[in-house]
Amino acid sequence: MRSDPMIFALNASRHFGSAVAHECGLALAEHEEREFEDGEHKARPLVGVRDRDVYVIQSLHGDATQSVNDKLIRLLFFIGALKQAAAGKVTAVVPYLCYARKDQQTKPRDPVTTRHLACLMESAGTDHVLTIDVHNPVAYQNAFRCTTSLLDTRLLFARYFAELLKDDAIIVASPDVGGVKRADRFRQALSSIVGRELPLAFMEKHRSAGVVSGETVVGDVEGKTLIILDDMISTGTTMARMGRAARDRGATRIFAAATHGVFLKEANGTVGATSFDRTVVTDTVPPLRLEPEVVAKKLVVLSVAPLFARAIERLHGGGSLVELLEP
């Protein structure tokens, strides 16, 4: 009889990890994390992992106590400890994958940091990486030599908006040309659920030296409920530009949606602005930098813990992730 998967969650992601384990009908496997006075630390499993199928949950975003790099090095060291303890297979479950945006050289001698991250993960002994909605799926898949799996939130968002908006005249939009394919996949999923073909729009955006310009909306948004979809929101500036432009062109209701709500401090002004009726994100990154009143009035957080749990069950049992993600 095949044993259950073992699920660990490092302390910084224990809340999310507990939700995933609960969805799998399991308890988190016990581990220890110790801090030393000189700033060093160690982590080790407190249970035997020999020949087991092990999943380690750690979302790689910075917070008030640990930076992105702190969380990354702790994950790498813990994976190394698991391999040293003869774990059969170790999957890094990373709801938010750091450095995924730096996937190509945009200036001379630029690092392709996504590839360097992949090298670190592989060197630690990672057999498999499971994440969700990275900035560039092709770059993610090509960067790693170990096995990778990529989840997405199309169905999660589609089911939410189908219930919320029901018979509204909906139009789906990308805040820039680069995200059109992502928005179109979501549009197809939402169209399938509501039972009618929905239109697509996008905004022409130009970025130079960190300055964003351009407010041309391609698509008829007048009298429609607009859903602007992206993979992440940092400052929210791009989303806000399209929201304002769409409102000026007659959109009646405007929603912003993104898998990863990174939310820098500047996002308080954009997420809390009147341009959006609501901003919808997932719990891959807690809204740590948003003011409580903005969170209460303007933000909806959907959980991807059930999706990761179903993925772990299928990976452990040899099932298909494709079937999990299709409408």
Side-chain angles (χ1 to χ4, degrees), residues 13-243:
S13 293
R14 190 168 184 85
H15 179 76
F16 184 86
S18 295
V20 173
H22 178 75
E23 288 285 338
C24 290
L26 301 171
L28 286 175
E30 293 297 320
H31 79 290
E32 175 192 40
E33 292 182 50
R34 289 186 59 191
E35 312 293 326
F36 300 104
E37 291 183 1
D38 63 356
E40 294 184 0
H41 50 81
K42 77 167 186 178
R44 65 184 180 115
L46 294 177
V47 290
V49 297
R50 183 176 295 276
D51 297 328
R52 297 291 297 273
D53 186 19
V54 179
Y55 297 81
V56 185
I57 298 172
Q58 175 84 313
S59 197
L60 298 176
H61 59 85
D63 59 34
T65 58
Q66 292 182 15
S67 71
V68 170
N69 297 331
D70 288 333
K71 291 183 178 182
L72 174 60
I73 200 72
R74 288 165 191 263
L75 175 62
L76 295 174
F77 284 179
F78 189 67
I79 289 172
L82 290 168
K83 298 300 286 189
Q84 186 176 325
K89 177 184 175 184
V90 177
T91 298
V93 180
V94 187
Y96 178 74
L97 184 67
C98 61
Y99 298 112
R101 285 176 283 183
K102 193 57 184 146
D103 54 30
Q104 60 180 315
Q105 286 187 317
T106 53
K107 294 181 179 180
R109 296 172 294 281
D110 255 3
V112 183
T113 316
T114 300
R115 179 59 193 139
H116 303 328
L117 171 67
C119 290
L120 289 170
M121 298 278 274
E122 293 155 3
S123 296
T126 309
D127 298 294
H128 189 180
V129 177
L130 172 66
T131 189
I132 188 167
D133 279 341
V134 295
H135 185 66
N136 185 335
V138 174
Y140 163 70
Q141 292 162 348
N142 288 336
F144 286 84
R145 299 299 174 261
C146 65
T147 305
T148 58
S149 295
L150 182 62
L151 305 177
D152 67 62
T153 52
R154 281 177 296 166
L155 288 182
L156 182 69
F157 284 133
R159 288 165 180 156
Y160 172 80
F161 283 111
E163 176 64 25
L164 178 70
L165 304 179
K166 298 186 185 300
D167 298 323
D168 281 26
I170 302 169
I171 182 169
V172 174
S174 169
D176 54 40
V177 175
V180 167
K181 287 185 178 180
R182 179 186 302 107
D184 191 50
R185 288 194 294 269
F186 165 65
R187 181 197 64 81
Q188 292 176 37
L190 184 55
S191 296
S192 176
I193 293 174
V194 300
R196 63 186 187 277
E197 196 69 17
L198 302 176
L200 181 69
F202 65 91
M203 187 174 74
E204 291 185 338
K205 180 186 74 172
H206 310 284
R207 185 186 298 272
S208 178
V211 178
V212 178
S213 60
E215 290 188 355
T216 301
V217 176
V218 179
D220 181 13
V221 300
E222 185 175 359
K224 294 184 173 63
T225 295
L226 181 69
I227 305 172
I228 309 172
L229 184 84
D230 210 347
D231 61 321
M232 70 172 63
I233 301 176
S234 295
T235 63
T237 303
T238 299
M239 290 279 204
R241 289 177 70 86
M242 184 165 196

